[in-house]
Amino acid sequence: MAGAEERELIRAAVARLRAGITAVVFGMVCGLGLAVATSWLLIRGGPDVGRTLGLLGNYFPGYTVTWPGALVGLVYGFAFGAIVGWCTATIYNRITNLRERRRRA
C-alpha cells in the first residue's frame, strides 16, 4: 500500500499538463476541424456554400470556403487551437500549483 508521501508525489505528477503537448493536440483538433468543416460544405455544395462559415474570414485573413481556403483554415485553426491549448494548460498548472501550496501550508 502506498504511503502518504507516495500518494502526494503521484497526485502532484498527475495534476500537471504539459503545455506544449496540449497546444499541439488542441491545434490539431481545431485545424483539422475547420478544414473538415470547409471540405464538407464544399462537397455538399448548394447555391450559397458556407456563407456562415465564411464569416471566419473576418478573423482569419485569407480564409474562404474554397479548397485553398480549407488549407488556410487548417493553418489558422492550428495556430488558434495551439494558443488556446497552451493558455489552458498554463492556467490549469498555475491553479494546481496554488492548490498544492495551500495544501502543504
Side-chain angles (χ1 to χ4, degrees):
M1 182 156 194
E5 290 180 20
E6 289 174 341
R7 276 187 253 137
E8 283 298 318
L9 287 173
I10 292 171
R11 185 180 301 133
V14 171
R16 304 295 185 277
L17 293 176
R18 297 179 84 182
I21 292 173
T22 306
V24 170
V25 170
F26 273 55
M28 288 172 55
V29 169
C30 290
L32 288 173
L34 183 54
V36 167
T38 304
S39 300
W40 175 258
L41 288 175
L42 291 170
I43 291 169
R44 199 177 87 192
D48 192 16
V49 176
R51 184 173 69 173
T52 305
L53 192 62
L55 292 173
L56 282 176
N58 293 323
Y59 301 103
F60 301 150
Y63 172 75
T64 56
V65 183
T66 60
W67 291 110
L71 295 176
V72 171
L74 176 70
V75 173
Y76 275 123
F78 182 86
F80 176 76
I83 291 168
V84 170
W86 185 84
C87 289
T88 300
T90 301
I91 291 168
Y92 176 84
N93 287 338
R94 287 185 182 176
I95 291 171
T96 302
N97 288 339
L98 288 173
R99 290 183 69 198
E100 287 296 319
R101 284 187 203 142
R102 286 183 186 159
R103 197 174 293 172
R104 290 180 191 155

